[in-house]
Amino acid sequence: MTNAAPQPSTLSTEDFSLAFHEIDLTQYHEAGPAVAFYMLGFPPKRITDALAAHDRRSTSFFRTRPGQLTTPLARERAQDYAVTVIAGIAAESKFAGVPIAELRQVPGREDYLTVHSILDQLMLCHGCEFGSEIRAARLLLLEARAVAIMNQAHVWYAVESVAEELLMSAGALGRRELVAAIERGMSDRHAA
């Protein structure tokens, strides 16, 4: 029995291409919510290690007395927040040309758990008018809002700007750099 040293594996061009495509998908997946946070009034804080962290105010609607969304504004902000969560999947879908429904289970699984948690909170407020059909329709409405945001030209320019900055900064942007990338993308659109 010989103890031969393991041979380094060789990666094909296809392997490299797939790896770079995955990096691109991740950059767009993280850029989408950051730009949506900004557009819907949740100040984005930073993106680090491929995780979008948001300002504490973006989840303040969960800090109501018994944990319910007791005011119309809290319910509206909860829905806006759910849209920002879905915006990562919407951006990835737009970039990759893959239907959003195909991304719900694998890359979007954690995001959709958050969205379903928000829908549960909303259901507590309107239990008598919130059945499974309404829940499914509300999810589709939240997805449609996220897609509509990503389809706005100035928003997409901002997403591309953030994705490009993420790539150049090895996946980490502080708040100042993130907001600058968003605003630069939006102003670049006006210059084009």
Side-chain angles (χ1 to χ4, degrees):
M1 181 171 180
T2 62
N3 287 338
Q7 296 297 318
S9 64
T10 57
L11 295 175
S12 69
T13 305
E14 185 178 310
D15 292 334
F16 275 114
S17 179
L18 184 60
F20 284 119
H21 184 67
E22 287 295 318
I23 290 169
D24 287 342
L25 289 176
T26 300
Q27 305 306 337
Y28 278 85
H29 184 97
E30 298 307 329
V35 174
F37 284 152
Y38 182 86
M39 296 302 298
L40 293 174
F42 297 114
K45 192 171 181 184
R46 67 184 172 278
I47 297 176
T48 57
D49 301 327
L51 296 174
H54 47 79
D55 188 288
R56 291 177 61 87
R57 287 188 300 160
S58 68
T59 54
S60 63
F61 50 78
F62 284 117
R63 294 188 207 113
T64 56
R65 216 177 285 142
Q68 295 181 7
L69 304 170
T70 56
T71 68
L73 179 60
R75 290 188 289 276
E76 181 182 327
R77 294 307 281 161
Q79 291 177 69
D80 287 347
Y81 180 71
V83 169
T84 67
V85 172
I86 295 170
I89 299 299
E92 186 175 341
S93 171
K94 180 175 175 128
F95 174 75
V98 175
I100 202 167
E102 290 182 26
L103 300 174
R104 285 184 193 135
Q105 292 303 315
V106 180
R109 187 179 189 299
E110 292 297 317
D111 294 334
Y112 276 89
L113 288 174
T114 300
V115 171
H116 286 292
S117 173
I118 293 168
L119 287 172
D120 289 345
Q121 292 277 334
L122 291 167
M123 203 163 64
L124 290 173
C125 301
H126 298 289
C128 63
E129 56 184 67
F130 207 120
S132 60
E133 291 99 14
I134 294 186
R135 181 189 179 97
R138 192 164 281 181
L139 177 61
L140 290 176
L141 175 63
L142 295 173
E143 285 179 341
R145 285 183 60 202
V147 168
I149 289 170
M150 290 299 115
N151 283 336
Q152 294 178 35
H154 67 288
V155 171
W156 191 248
Y157 282 119
V159 169
E160 289 178 326
S161 177
V162 171
E164 185 177 303
E165 288 294 320
L166 280 170
L167 190 60
M168 292 174 22
S169 67
L173 292 175
R175 183 187 189 293
R176 223 174 298 176
E177 295 85 9
L178 180 55
V179 171
I182 292 169
E183 290 174 350
R184 185 172 43 257
M186 289 184 182
S187 68
D188 287 350
R189 180 233 178 218
H190 295 296

